[in-house]
Amino acid sequence: MTDLPLWFDPSQVFISGQWRAPAGGDTLPVVDPSTGAEIARIARGTETDITDAIDAAEAALAGDWGAMTAAERGRILFKLGDLVLQNSDALATLEASDVGKPLKQAKNDVIALARYCEFYGGAADKLTGETIPFNAGFTVYTLREPHGVTGHIIPWNYPMQIIGRSIGAALATGNACVLKPAEEACLTALAFADLAQQAGLPAGALNVVPGLGVEAGAALTAEPRVRHLSFTGSVATGKKVQIAAAENIVPVTLELGGKSPQVVFEDADLDKALPFLVNAGIQNAGQTCSAGSRILVQRSIHDELAARLAEAISALKVAPAMDDADVGPLVSARQKGIVDGFLAQATPDQILAQAALPDGLPEGGNYIAPTLLGHLAPDHSLAQDEIFGPVQTLIPFEDEEDAIRIANGTKYGLVASVWSADGGRQMRLAKRLHAGQVFLNNYGAAGGVELPFGGVGHSGHGREKGFEALYAFTALKTVAAHHG
Ligand code: TXE
């Protein structure tokens, strides 16, 4: 077992720049997904802690934090990005141990977190309003103002990346944040809060309250003093968050995952596409909101691609996170149960390939053999539902219209990719695919912190990342001066 590089006490909440025990005094276990062993305890924050965190955030807005200029906020974010990089080994080890992701994938997440701090640090003093030509005797301009206290509920699959995109943008625009990380993976959220304080972030500008979704999470969404909610997670919980936000007439950004298609035409460069087709499905053991988990292939090359995918997926190595193989365990026994349940729906002829789990994997770990599924009707639940495990599905199509119909034929619409040498076809599909991001002859654009991201349909609404997130974290005020 890896010794956790903890320089803070994870069983405490972080409120107003102070570490303290949760009000209820209870803690929750941190379970290593690679072994099933308990490796730490985190706080079980409750409504009282959430109330205290909101008090602290309000005090920060009324005090040092609210008085800072945009340039000063940006400078703190730059410093924070530096500290993230300086602590990259520790952060990567914490994330790999907590989430179960292979170490190199956790290291990429550290770099992404630092990039968000840099991007939003640089953007802080570049977000401007505009002047609007209007009637004679008027000068009209707009101001972009922070909402105030913002609530952030994040999942366990990419804690660092989601903290970066959400907290980074909210702090850059001068909001004060209350973060409720997922009970399955809180360690890097707490580490980040400590680094933010080291970077000079005033007390109360970022508060972290770990706890259960139904307790701390629900308390945060119910609080009328929270003036914006960002949520990343399941559709079912996203609906509850939106309903709670509606009670308080609060704007909400929802990112709810997907079943994103990768559309492969017969003129695609398969050598280039293959690593993306595989990786977009199995990265982070498939527990990725933007996983490209539906490969749609033109029937003329179906058998060739099926054979190549089968070979690549069968060769994937599964190991504990710190052994840094291709695929680690799933985050929890519960998540493994969900994925096992999906796989149980597949008939033997639908399992086109499956990697072998090596001997000697720790018994308590949540390992799933990477699997390629095929011979599925497009409306089969395995081809419709977010499985959130290392499972790829292969579905044939006849022509461009058929590809678009199947690609758009789920309730989701987060991202999509098109693999084709035909420029006209790329442009046609880019317009017609239902998705918040479309990738032409690539997948994911290596994360792209600069690129607006979010879904349509049940994948959610609102945009994160890039400059778009800054608009979401501000309220626009129009000032009309009549001076004659
Ligand atoms: O999600 P939840 P779960 C999908 C994926 C996965 C499924 C279930 O398909 O199999 O969701 O995962 C907090 N009020 N995604 O159960 O419940 C919770 O504490 C307020 C896709 O983990 O949505 C955690 O912090 N908050 C996804 C966060 O919501 C509540 C990433 C997410 O948990 C709450 C994760 C409540 N009533 C899962 N209940 C993606 N888009 O990437 C829970 N929470």
Side-chain angles (χ1 to χ4, degrees), residues 153-157 180-184 211-214 217-218 221 231-234 237 240-241 255-257 288-289 334-335 338 386-388:
I153 297 177
I154 66 162
W156 39 262
N157 53 344
K180 207 300 281 174
E183 45 272 49
E184 293 86 349
L212 298 175
V214 289
T221 63
F231 173 80
T232 303
S234 64
T237 304
K240 290 184 193 162
V241 171
E255 197 270 85
L256 308 178
T288 302
C289 46
R334 183 171 73 100
Q335 190 60 30
I338 293 174
E386 185 179 57
I387 296 176
F388 237 52

Side-chain angles (χ1 to χ4, degrees), residues 316-320 325 355-362 367 370:
L316 290 170
K317 299 275 177 282
V318 180
L357 290 182
D359 293 337
L361 284 176
Y367 299 96

